[in-house]
Amino acid sequence: MVNPPLEDRADDVTGATDGPADADTAPAPETVRMRRVRGRFSIQSKLIAMLLGASILSAAVVGFIGYQTGQASLRNAAFDRLTQVRETQARQFVVQVSTLKKAVLVYTSGPAMADAVQALSAGFNELANTPTDPAQQQAIVNYYNQDLIGPIKRATGANLNLDVLLPSSNAARYLQAHYTVPAARPGGPLPAPDPSAWAAAASRYDPFFDKIVNLFGYGDALLIDPAGNVVYTAKKHADLGTNVQSGPYEQGNLHEAYAKAMGADRVDYVSVTDFQTYHPAGDHPVAWMGAPVVAGGRTVGVLALQLPITGINALMTFNGKWQDNGLGATGETYLAGADDLMRSNSRLFVENKQAYQRDVVAAGTSPELAERAVRLDGTTLIQPVGSDVTRAAERGQTGTRITTDYLGNETLQSFAPVVVGPDLTWSIVAKIDTAEAFAPERVFTRTMGVAVTAIVILDCLAAMALAQLFVRPIRRLEAGAQKVSRGDYDAVIPARTRDEFGDLTKTFNDMSRLLGIKDELLRRERQENKQLLRSLMPESVAERYRQGEETISESHQDVAVIFADIDGLDTLSSELPSDEFLSVVNELVRQFDDAAERNGVEPMRILRNGYTASCGLNVPRLDNVERTVAFAIEMQRIVARANAEDNLQLGFRAGIDTGTVTSGLVGSSTMIYDMWGSAVDLAYQAQAGGGEPGIYITSRVHDAVHDTHRFTPAGPLTVGDTQEPIWRLSGAGKSSYATSSVIGFLLGRPASPSGLPASLNRD
């Protein structure tokens, strides 16, 4: 039993020897009782109690913080995984559409397509006066009733007007009687031989168009003449021979694709339409890609290809391998249009049509739409998916949200807009049920609870067993660790014992000293790395690189680009010692850089005799063209002054253009920050094509600065198939930037190092 304190024992002795105390001086009974209770607890017991309380509280706090942090991390990881799936799908979809567009351009750019349009159009026009007999006319009527109107009514409930759909021209009736009707009944009687010129042309080009359709999975390939007549279809459906401007499909997206292609102002234009139900395809959704066919400098027709919906569905549904692509049992990706309807198939529809029909109806979709999707074997243009997610994507936003999907389930959704054509944008959505996405979070919660409970129990046992043994050296180490964590690496903990704690204290002191040394080395290395990155690339690009981005590129609008070349450096290098030549070059480059800084121009790259710079690339400027021209004039004066004062024979040529450029990092082990684009190419070609030294600009630059500078035509520059007019600077007008730049150049330049030529030692 713990002995009472000395003062209590003294009181006991006094009471025993002196007899009963006086009522006024004796302590109260409650006071004596509290003293005895406190006396039963030693310092060690009190310390254990405090350690237990601190341990339990610490475990609770750490558990709560760990739970919050772990929960947020798991939730963010689920969002990130879904976003990665969505981004991957979006990239693949854009690549798929781009490949289809390039294929269209390849086919329309060759002479074969123009020959086919002209031959089939000529054959079609010859059939204008060729009538069909009553039997053929009746066969056409039977085809429309049995193979088009009837199936569409059964699938969609729509009642189509036969009189509106029947072909109205002799050529259309002739072609549909000889080709459309037999194609719909391959087992029927063979049609009579067709001696027409159209038949001869079709037999010659059928293998070509069959290869186009089958190679890329297009639904059909159509040729349309300038008058709007569908002079050829690969599948010989009911649109053969019709007119897209006045026929039964004049209000459809085929007319839209034709009109945009015919009105295109360039040969590499490809129009892409949205999906729309199409009667010749059994009212299945059809989208078109149209491109003009040009011969002899004029548009002789349009090639229209049905966008392969099967390929889009295969991409968006991962060919049924959702789990292999990180979407688990409930995840999917789909496309949606501005009308809030799907542009691809639903996962549940692909896996279980009956379950899809049941769930979407329960979620609010009308039973008629669900039945129609089953009958048409697809959810494109049928299943509504309108929500705050798709509306946000339609506004051009990208992000992730937790919301209810079209099946009525709470889901985690990642969304973004995706560009399909020049004037067509869809939304891409990747989603997964929250119950599945956050399943690891529930497991983590249970694990965290068990772990915290175990930690509390272990803390209690450890506190009771080791309190007296470890409290002092641990606190000393803790104090030292806190100093180190605050950056005080000079903190020294006295080693007062010769046991393991003493050794640990010495090791800790050594570690603190080494950490201080390494921290200083790391600080210097980080500073050097930052300075190196800032010298190689803009700060914004350097920050993205430090954050771990592997592919860093940006598109910039309205950027002025200058490509300057100094002639005569090669000759000068052979005439001067290497150190003097390098001093000349370094001083020229220094003066160029100073001039660039004064004019707000951003140097990009120095390669041999060339000096590339831009204005408006990373710092948007309204007057970037004027600044660039002023910078070029100042560079020209720098070279001229060097020639005049040091008897040098250096020539200066510069090319300037403005437009859209792309910038980014190139390389892995050796990185270069560079820019690309037609503006860069034109700037280089302008200076390279100049017959004499001077400053050459394109027509876009001339339009911007012709009021402040004088130019003379320098002849055209051939760029591809076009002629680009080039101008040569002959004088400057009232240019505020040129004047201010020259004044700053003459008054604000620091002196160069000694030992350089006289012209380069002063400004």
Side-chain angles (χ1 to χ4, degrees):
M1 180 177 178
V2 179
N3 293 325
L6 292 177
E7 60 270 21
D8 289 350
R9 286 187 290 171
D11 292 342
D12 292 342
V13 172
T14 303
T17 57
D18 296 342
D22 188 80
D24 295 334
T25 59
E30 292 80 8
T31 304
V32 175
R33 190 180 304 111
M34 290 301 299
R35 288 179 180 178
R36 291 177 178 176
V37 170
R38 288 197 302 267
R40 295 192 183 99
F41 293 95
S42 65
I43 298 298
Q44 180 178 359
S45 300
K46 295 176 183 179
L47 183 58
I48 290 176
M50 288 188 293
L51 286 177
L52 287 177
S55 299
I56 294 173
L57 180 60
S58 299
V61 172
V62 171
F64 176 76
I65 296 175
Y67 170 74
Q68 294 293 332
T69 304
Q71 183 187 43
S73 298
L74 291 173
R75 183 158 295 199
N76 291 336
F79 276 103
D80 292 342
R81 286 194 299 269
L82 195 62
T83 300
Q84 290 175 1
V85 172
R86 186 257 299 160
E87 291 176 346
T88 300
Q89 287 293 86
R91 285 194 298 268
Q92 292 182 356
F93 175 75
V94 170
V95 169
Q96 186 181 55
V97 173
S98 176
T99 301
L100 295 175
K101 289 180 181 178
K102 292 177 181 177
V104 174
L105 293 176
V106 168
Y107 290 124
T108 55
S109 62
M113 189 63 67
D115 294 342
V117 172
Q118 293 173 338
L120 290 165
S121 297
F124 182 85
N125 293 331
E126 290 181 5
L127 298 175
N129 298 320
T130 304
T132 54
D133 56 44
Q136 292 174 329
Q137 183 65 26
Q138 185 59 44
I140 294 174
V141 172
N142 294 339
Y143 161 76
Y144 274 90
N145 284 325
Q146 299 173 12
D147 298 278
L148 191 65
I149 296 177
I152 290 178
K153 182 176 182 180
R154 289 190 295 271
T156 66
N159 291 311
L160 303 183
N161 191 332
L162 175 63
D163 295 333
V164 174
L165 296 176
L166 285 174
S168 57
S169 66
N170 287 332
R173 285 191 289 268
Y174 183 92
L175 293 178
Q176 292 195 15
H178 283 79
Y179 297 96
T180 303
V181 174
R185 299 183 180 89
L190 296 175
D194 182 9
S196 67
W198 188 95
S203 63
R204 184 165 67 253
Y205 291 106
D206 272 339
F208 174 65
F209 285 100
D210 287 341
K211 185 176 181 180
I212 293 177
V213 171
N214 296 327
L215 184 62
F216 291 95
Y218 295 111
D220 200 355
L222 280 63
L223 291 179
I224 308 173
D225 67 9
N229 297 309
V230 181
V231 299
Y232 177 82
T233 71
K235 296 298 182 68
K236 310 298 186 297
H237 287 161
D239 45 10
L240 178 61
T242 60
N243 190 288
V244 298
Q245 300 188 88
S246 60
Y249 313 114
E250 61 177 329
Q251 300 298 326
N253 54 359
L254 178 59
H255 174 268
E256 176 188 350
Y258 161 79
K260 290 181 178 179
M262 286 296 296
D265 56 356
R266 62 182 192 273
V267 296
D268 60 344
Y269 176 82
V270 178
S271 65
V272 183
T273 71
D274 204 344
F275 279 104
Q276 193 178 66
T277 56
Y278 191 55
H279 296 332
D283 257 9
H284 284 82
V286 170
W288 296 96
M289 302 180 73
V293 180
V294 180
R298 65 185 184 89
T299 302
V300 299
V302 172
L303 172 64
L305 299 173
Q306 282 188 20
L307 199 65
I309 190 172
T310 54
I312 294 177
N313 284 329
L315 172 64
M316 301 311 296
T317 60
F318 299 97
N319 286 315
K321 299 179 180 179
W322 291 278
Q323 294 191 8
D324 295 342
N325 289 274
L327 288 177
T330 61
E332 66 171 320
T333 59
Y334 63 82
L335 297 168
D339 54 3
D340 290 335
L341 298 179
M342 276 191 172
R343 293 301 188 268
S344 59
N345 276 341
S346 161
R347 171 180 180 173
L348 186 58
F349 179 87
V350 175
E351 292 180 333
N352 191 329
K353 293 182 176 60
Q354 288 72 25
Y356 158 80
Q357 190 171 2
R358 179 189 68 245
D359 290 353
V360 295
V361 170
T365 302
S366 66
E368 293 77 10
L369 288 178
E371 292 177 3
R372 181 175 180 179
V374 173
R375 287 196 299 268
L376 291 177
D377 195 29
T379 58
T380 300
L381 283 187
I382 298 176
Q383 178 59 51
V385 291
S387 65
D388 56 342
V389 166
T390 55
R391 285 186 287 272
E394 291 167 12
R395 294 192 297 269
Q397 299 178 8
T398 300
T400 53
R401 294 181 184 177
I402 297 177
T403 185
T404 303
D405 67 353
Y406 65 93
L407 297 173
N409 301 324
E410 185 187 64
T411 56
L412 176 63
Q413 299 191 20
S414 178
F415 58 92
V418 58
V419 178
V420 184
D423 52 1
L424 178 61
T425 300
W426 290 342
S427 305
I428 183 170
V429 178
K431 71 178 187 68
I432 188 172
D433 288 359
T434 54
E436 181 179 7
F438 299 147
E441 181 181 326
R442 293 190 295 272
V443 175
F444 171 76
T445 301
R446 292 194 297 269
T447 304
M448 196 69 187
V450 173
V452 170
T453 303
I455 289 173
V456 170
I457 296 174
L458 291 176
D459 283 344
C460 294
L461 297 175
M464 289 184 293
L466 305 175
Q468 184 63 30
L469 181 63
F470 291 103
V471 64
R472 292 179 181 176
I474 287 178
R475 285 182 176 176
R476 287 197 298 269
L477 289 172
E478 181 183 10
Q482 290 175 351
K483 292 180 180 179
V484 172
S485 67
R486 292 192 297 267
D488 183 8
Y489 299 110
D490 295 329
V492 177
I493 302 174
R496 298 178 179 177
T497 61
R498 297 182 180 180
D499 55 5
E500 290 80 3
F501 280 110
D503 297 336
L504 181 60
T505 302
K506 295 177 181 179
T507 304
F508 181 88
N509 291 333
D510 294 338
M511 179 189 69
S512 176
R513 180 177 54 81
L514 292 176
L515 284 176
I517 296 173
K518 292 181 179 179
D519 181 75
E520 178 63 21
L521 293 176
L522 287 175
R523 186 188 63 79
R524 294 179 182 177
E525 184 176 359
R526 284 194 297 266
Q527 186 65 26
E528 293 173 357
N529 289 339
K530 288 182 180 179
Q531 293 176 355
L532 178 60
L533 286 177
R534 283 196 295 267
S535 67
L536 294 176
M537 63 193 73
E539 181 62 28
S540 59
V541 177
E543 181 63 24
R544 293 174 61 184
Y545 175 77
R546 286 194 294 266
Q547 292 177 358
E549 289 191 40
E550 297 181 358
T551 302
I552 301 177
S553 64
E554 295 178 332
S555 294
H556 309 269
Q557 305 290 334
D558 300 327
V559 177
V561 179
I562 177 172
F563 192 99
D565 189 82
I566 303 176
D567 294 331
L569 285 180
D570 292 336
T571 303
L572 186 62
S573 67
S574 62
E575 296 174 354
L576 295 178
S578 59
D579 55 344
E580 294 183 14
F581 172 75
L582 186 59
S583 297
V584 172
V585 174
N586 284 338
E587 183 60 15
L588 284 174
V589 172
R590 184 189 66 80
Q591 294 188 27
F592 290 164
D593 290 344
D594 292 343
E597 183 176 357
R598 286 193 300 274
N599 287 278
V601 175
E602 304 170 36
M604 288 296 298
R605 183 177 54 180
I606 302 172
L607 182 62
R608 200 162 178 251
N609 301 338
Y611 187 99
T612 307
S614 64
C615 187
L617 184 69
N618 294 293
V619 180
R621 300 181 186 275
L622 295 176
D623 54 350
N624 54 6
V625 176
E626 181 65 37
R627 288 174 179 270
T628 306
V629 173
F631 172 61
I633 294 173
E634 193 164 347
M635 293 178 71
Q636 189 178 44
R637 289 171 177 166
I638 291 171
V639 176
R641 186 168 59 253
N643 290 335
E645 296 182 2
D646 295 296
N647 196 24
L648 302 179
Q649 296 181 356
L650 301 179
F652 176 82
R653 286 199 312 274
I656 305 175
D657 191 22
T658 181
T660 300
V661 301
T662 299
S663 67
L665 291 183
V666 181
S668 56
S669 59
T670 302
M671 293 180 301
I672 298 175
Y673 180 73
D674 206 348
M675 59 182 177
W676 309 265
S678 59
V680 181
D681 297 336
L682 280 175
Y684 173 78
Q685 295 181 37
Q687 69 83 24
E692 57 183 306
I695 300 172
Y696 297 86
I697 64 172
T698 63
S699 58
R700 287 173 294 278
V701 178
H702 181 265
D703 293 341
V705 299
H706 69 278
D707 292 332
T708 56
H709 300 275
R710 294 193 301 273
F711 300 90
T712 58
L717 178 65
T718 302
V719 180
D721 297 333
T722 62
Q723 297 290 321
E724 176 73 23
I726 301 300
W727 303 78
R728 184 174 183 270
L729 178 67
S730 59
K734 297 179 180 179
S735 172
S736 60
Y737 288 104
T739 303
S740 62
S741 297
V742 171
I743 293 174
F745 177 75
L746 294 174
L747 300 179
R749 297 288 301 279
S752 62
S754 59
L756 299 181
S759 66
L760 302 179
N761 280 329
R762 64 183 182 274
D763 298 332

